[in-house]
Amino acid sequence: MNNLLEGLNENQLKAVMTNDRPLRIIAGAGSGKTKVITTKIAYLINDLKIPSWKILAVTFTNKAAKEMKDRVQKILSNNEDRLFISTFHSFCTRVLREDFISANLEKNFLIIDTNDQQQIIKKIIKELNLNQDQDNRKLQRFIISRISYWKNHLISPQEARDEVFDPNERNAVKVYRVYQETLLTNNQVDFDDLQVKVYQMFNNNPEVLEKWRSRFEYVMVDEFQDTNELQFDLIKFLTKNKNNLTVVGDPDQTIYSWRGAQVNIILNFEKSYKNALTVVLDRNYRSTQQILDLANSFISHNKNREEKNIYTDNTNGEIVEVKEVATRYMEAKSVGAEIQELIKSKKYNYNDIFVLYRMNAWSQEFEKVFANLKIPFQLIGGIKFRERKVIKDAMAFLKVIAVKDNLSMERILHLTPKVGEVTIEKIISLANEHHLNILDLIINEDQSLINSITKNLDKLRTVLIEALKLYKLNSSLEELLKFVLVESGYENKVLLLDDDKDDIKNIYAFYDQLNKFDLDFNSETFGEENKLLAFLQEEALLSEEEDDLQPNKVTLLTIHAAKGLESKVVFIAGLNRDVFPSKLSMFTIAQLEEERRALYVALTRAKEKLYISYVKGEFSYISQGELGPSKFIGELNKNLYSLETNIFVHGDGVITSNKTIVSSRFENFNKNDSSKDYQKGDMVSHMIFGDGVVVKIVDQQLQIAFNNPKFGVMLIASSNPVLKKK
């Protein structure tokens, strides 16, 4: 442990060892945030002797939670498996599984995923006859968005009805009411409900709240800049009148307001916790100083932020390149040609390269050009494994067996030979008439009811009855699903129809996944004894996770999808007016600042080389006219990049252009000696922060008091190229 602490810089060490008051860690891009969090958890366990299960650490993706847990276990070297590191949704699920009665739920409630939610909403729209003269998918998205908003603002269907006047919103309220009744009837909850029901339970039941408050001696929140008010309220419930809280995040990377994230939550943290301390992690371990200079200068245009200057010891980088091209096709061609040169240099592989853009539609030209140039690439945002039809079908069988889910049973009926749409409607009506779910109707000992509609369910009935026996015995998931898919004839049907064998491979891959879950299953970890219920819970919580990156391919992805990732080479494409920032973001200063933060995130993904491009002159329906440079191009410091214009990529791949390095500041950059002869009392000038005086020297870091009170005293590397003696 002591050796590990010695590897931390001064601010990281302070962040790890401050545990007697609420702590806000402002973690700049690439500043070793995960290292600090995981080291702090290990420090709490190893040095402060806090039991691992008494520490709650929450983050926003299962992938991040798993990485944190793996790194803590590696640090402690003791195979600690009782770490409570999870997402907000997983934590709330654990609370509801344990205290379901206080949340007015039945024990084996089902968490529906996004696809289930869409199907339910689609059905309700049809029942209420609301889809006249409207795009049904667009209407679904609007209604789902409004329901999520109302839930996260704790607005019931009745309250929503009283506050809306717009006809579309009135329709959304009607769907909201029926949707909530449907979930209640079927013992289901959606993603928003997980957090809302825990909030309501904590707010209305002091005994339950006190149980969970006393369970945790320390609470940590990762990616705190992405929290919404509801999530922050949950944290405040757990830490009220305590000093046991650390939050970690970067206000300059708040780019998810459309999910409810509010930058002011992290900015105003010290108003909620009066005795809080703030530690800024401003030393970057990812990017070159040239990249950071451009990013620091650019984000300073935002006013609603925490001032900080990210620096690095890595000063041997190259100047950022900005390229102006005539068409979107030529933009993709020039990026493709540059990638080919990078690969020829033997310094980079394809998987060292990201191409980022603000909107998914911008990828089209890159996909076509890269295919023609035979540049291997992956497009993040394609069909995910769990979204494939055969996996959805398999999941339907599992949901029916575990929780008698009607929506899944309808899906299975659609897969059953000689059972058509009319028959299914009759089955649903009969089940409703007798107050049964569809599964109980089908497997009922008295077959006269179901036989009055169809006699084509005998085989399915037998399979489901036997599968329920396996479920009650808590059999292995692989055994259970294989039995169902083989005996029902589903697997054989797939084999007959699957010409390219992709579907059957996906089923086999699913068997592998279930087998792994069987081997790794631990009832204490999931708070659930039954394997199948635990698996369905885990799958629902994973349903919106990001795609995994594949080996040795250029990655095409949106800036929002790239958050948390990094790459040696980054191309930022489409920095155009009305594209980035988007036209819709120009209405308010807050929206514009979020777009600026998005570009800051993109800039700081690059480790070694950064390219930015925009189109000038081509007509676009996006801007209803000729494309031109984004206002953000004008906000980039002209002294910190080179500019190429009139770019043309010839048939042989040769690029011709006019190239201008606006500043010669980098000509002798690599000759810059990081051990400049600074002394205490020296007057200095900083390109961004202005004039100041050196008040202290710590190794190669200068503590400088700037004349501008807005910046105050800051710690800056003596090798920083934007700093000079006066």
Side-chain angles (χ1 to χ4, degrees), residues 410-622:
E410 287 181 41
R411 187 181 186 100
I412 292 170
L413 289 174
H414 279 101
L415 299 171
T416 306
K418 300 180 182 179
V419 177
E421 193 69 45
V422 175
T423 301
I424 292 171
E425 289 296 331
K426 288 180 180 179
I427 292 171
I428 294 169
S429 297
L430 186 64
N432 291 336
E433 181 184 335
H434 290 270
H435 306 290
L436 293 169
N437 60 58
I438 302 171
L439 175 66
D440 284 339
L441 174 65
I442 292 172
I443 66 174
N444 198 299
E445 287 185 14
D446 181 2
Q447 285 292 283
S448 60
L449 282 174
I450 195 68
N451 284 342
S452 68
I453 297 173
T454 179
K455 295 181 180 179
N456 294 318
L457 294 176
D458 289 349
K459 183 176 183 179
L460 178 63
R461 178 178 183 270
T462 302
V463 170
L464 292 175
I465 289 172
E466 292 302 314
L468 284 167
K469 292 178 184 177
L470 292 174
Y471 165 69
K472 289 172 183 174
L473 291 170
N474 210 10
S475 299
S476 82
L477 301 186
E478 181 189 7
E479 175 190 358
L480 175 59
L481 184 63
K482 192 171 285 187
F483 168 79
V484 169
L485 297 189
V486 170
E487 293 300 317
S488 68
Y490 181 85
E491 188 176 297
N492 191 51
K493 179 181 175 183
V494 170
L495 278 168
L496 290 172
L497 298 176
D498 186 16
D499 292 334
D500 56 9
K501 304 306 178 192
D502 276 353
D503 285 343
I504 198 65
K505 287 177 183 175
N506 283 319
I507 289 176
Y508 293 162
F510 196 32
Y511 289 155
D512 289 341
Q513 181 184 345
L514 294 174
N515 179 260
K516 185 177 187 306
F517 188 89
D518 284 327
L519 294 173
D520 295 342
F521 177 72
N522 181 313
S523 60
E524 189 172 327
T525 301
F526 291 97
E528 173 57 59
E529 293 293 333
N530 187 274
K531 293 177 186 176
L532 180 52
L533 282 174
F535 175 76
L536 292 176
Q537 170 182 306
E538 187 75 358
E539 276 299 291
L541 294 172
L542 281 168
S543 68
E544 294 189 3
E545 285 292 309
E546 60 275 18
D547 302 79
D548 288 328
L549 302 183
Q550 300 297 318
N552 211 24
K553 293 181 180 179
V554 174
T555 302
L556 305 177
L557 70 170
T558 65
I559 288 163
H560 285 82
K563 187 173 179 292
L565 304 177
E566 61 185 41
S567 193
K568 289 182 180 179
V569 181
V570 170
F571 293 87
I572 303 173
L575 202 56
N576 278 93
R577 182 176 61 245
D578 296 333
V579 176
F580 194 8
S582 70
K583 185 179 291 187
L584 296 177
S585 71
M586 302 299 285
F587 295 122
T588 69
I589 291 174
Q591 289 171 325
L592 181 60
E593 291 207 343
E594 176 148 352
E595 290 286 290
R596 201 175 274 121
R597 291 193 293 268
L599 180 53
Y600 175 78
V601 167
L603 297 171
T604 53
R605 298 312 91 196
K607 297 167 71 173
E608 297 176 11
K609 297 176 78 70
L610 175 61
Y611 302 85
I612 300 168
S613 58
Y614 63 91
V615 179
K616 183 178 180 182
E618 183 180 43
F619 176 84
S620 168
Y621 286 101
I622 297 171

Side-chain angles (χ1 to χ4, degrees), residues 74 111 124 157 217 249 265 325 331 334 344 352-353 381 386 427 449 532 572 575 646 663 680 692 704:
K74 187 175 180 180
I111 305 168
I124 295 171
E217 292 185 28
I265 292 177
V325 294
E331 180 182 47
S334 67
K344 283 180 188 176
D352 293 326
I353 301 168
R386 61 179 56 82
I427 292 171
L449 282 174
L532 180 52
I572 303 173
L575 202 56
N646 299 326
S663 170
K680 185 177 178 180
I704 301 171

Side-chain angles (χ1 to χ4, degrees), residues 385-399:
F385 177 73
R386 61 179 56 82
E387 292 299 317
R388 297 179 186 276
K389 180 184 180 300
V390 289
I391 304 305
K392 287 182 179 180
D393 292 344
M395 285 292 291
F397 278 105
L398 295 179
K399 288 178 183 178

Side-chain angles (χ1 to χ4, degrees), residues 342-359:
L342 291 170
I343 300 302
K344 283 180 188 176
S345 73
K346 305 293 187 184
K347 294 179 182 178
Y348 299 99
N349 296 314
Y350 290 114
N351 61 345
D352 293 326
I353 301 168
F354 281 0
V355 178
L356 307 182
Y357 33 79
R358 176 64 181 84
M359 57 175 62

